[in-house]
């Protein structure tokens, strides 16, 4: 009887020392860039990955048991893209189709770096993962994605002679990127149903891919 009481007290003390279960915040990664971040690899090209022994294991991760592009149960994505002044958002569980899109809200049949990156993060973390992707092709890092800290975009003598003011559009896509990230993080559950507000979220990384 005494041994049972002592054991019970010992377990109670250990439980008290352990405290409540540690929070597991949502892991958030921001992906941004231009055409290379958009992604123009078609789903039909997947088979070629299996032709090289060094990449064949990756193909197994990219497909499910039925040979279809894998759907991540614990990774969600919000993708802002578009043409000209028309931008839109595509959301959902991460799978193939979040590459370059003619209609931002529809599967474009292509993948970008978000797919295999998301698969890797899904395997690395027990916590849910949220990818926030913004990408537009043909954009300049010096002009379109110019951050305020880089200062005013300089006018050339030709701009002055022709009364052009390129400053007005400078940094537009940088601002769109920041605005979209803020919008998604203002209500993560809108995109990621597994988000637990009491656990919060953690900005875990920023990935930039620029091809021009």
């Amino acid at each position: 009887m005494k041994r049972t009481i002592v054991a019970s007290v010992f377990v109670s003390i250990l439980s008290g020392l352990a405290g409540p279960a540690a929070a597991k915040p949502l892991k958030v990664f921001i992906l941004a860039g231009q055409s290379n971040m958009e992604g123009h690899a078609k789903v039909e090209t997947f088979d070629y990955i299996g032709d090289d022994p060094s990449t064949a294991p990756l193909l197994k991760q990219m497909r499910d048991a039925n040979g279809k592009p894998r759907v991540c149960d614990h990774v969600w994505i919000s993708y802002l893209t578009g043409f000209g002044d028309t931008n839109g958002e595509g959301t959902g569980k991460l799978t193939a189709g979040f590459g370059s899109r003619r209609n931002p809200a529809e599967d474009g049949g292509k993948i970008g770096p978000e797919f295999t990156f998301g698969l890797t993060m899904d395997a690395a973390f027990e916590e849910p993962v949220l990818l926030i992707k913004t990408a537009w092709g043909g954009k300049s890092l010096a002009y379109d994605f110019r951050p305020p800290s880089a200062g005013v975009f300089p006018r050339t003598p030709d701009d002055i002679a022709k009364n052009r003011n390129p400053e007005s559009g400078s940094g537009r896509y940088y601002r769109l990127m920041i605005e979209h990230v803020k919008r998604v993080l203002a209500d993560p559950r809108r995109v990621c149903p597994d988000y637990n507000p009491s656990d919060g979220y953690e900005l875990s990384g920023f990935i930039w891919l620029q091809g021009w």
Side-chain angles (χ1 to χ4, degrees):
M1 182 66 177
K2 290 182 179 179
R3 290 180 180 176
T4 303
I5 293 173
V6 171
S8 298
V9 171
F10 184 62
V11 170
S12 298
I13 291 172
L14 288 179
S15 299
L17 291 174
K24 293 185 176 181
L26 173 70
K27 301 292 185 180
V28 180
F29 293 90
I30 300 168
L31 286 67
Q34 49 99 287
S35 59
N36 285 7
M37 180 56 83
E38 280 185 301
H40 290 270
K42 295 183 179 180
V43 172
E44 303 92 89
T45 66
F46 280 15
D47 288 338
Y48 294 102
I49 298 175
D51 293 341
D52 186 339
S54 66
T55 56
L58 179 61
L59 181 59
K60 292 182 179 180
Q61 298 177 39
M62 294 167 65
R63 286 176 168 164
D64 61 21
N66 298 316
K68 302 293 184 182
R70 186 177 301 280
V71 177
C72 293
D73 287 329
H74 304 291
V75 181
W76 284 262
I77 183 170
S78 168
Y79 176 25
L80 179 71
T81 190
F83 296 90
D85 292 327
T86 304
N87 289 292
E89 180 189 26
T91 63
K93 286 186 175 181
L94 180 66
T95 185
F98 283 98
S100 179
R101 292 182 163 192
R102 187 166 295 277
N103 182 335
E106 294 181 359
D107 181 342
K110 298 180 178 181
I111 68 167
E114 76 290 331
F115 187 43
T116 50
F117 176 80
L119 289 172
T120 303
M121 295 302 100
D122 191 20
F125 296 111
E126 293 182 2
E127 301 91 333
V129 175
L130 172 60
L131 306 181
I132 305 176
K133 175 179 171 180
T134 58
W136 299 268
K139 298 295 178 279
S140 164
L141 180 58
Y143 180 74
D144 299 292
F145 275 98
R146 190 180 188 85
S149 60
V152 177
F153 189 82
R155 295 176 73 193
T156 66
D158 191 47
D159 289 330
I160 296 172
K162 296 180 179 179
N163 197 28
R164 292 184 308 205
N165 184 18
E167 298 173 10
S168 59
S170 173
R172 176 171 183 261
Y173 289 88
Y174 177 90
R175 293 191 296 274
L176 285 172
M177 173 184 69
I178 297 298
E179 289 167 4
H180 184 62
V181 170
K182 288 182 176 180
R183 175 175 177 252
V184 174
L185 294 182
D187 182 16
R189 188 176 281 174
R190 179 182 66 85
V191 177
C192 177
D194 277 5
Y195 173 65
N196 184 348
S198 63
D199 289 340
Y201 64 80
E202 175 184 272
L203 287 173
S204 302
F206 179 89
I207 301 93
W208 176 270
L209 194 57
Q210 179 80 10
W212 176 46

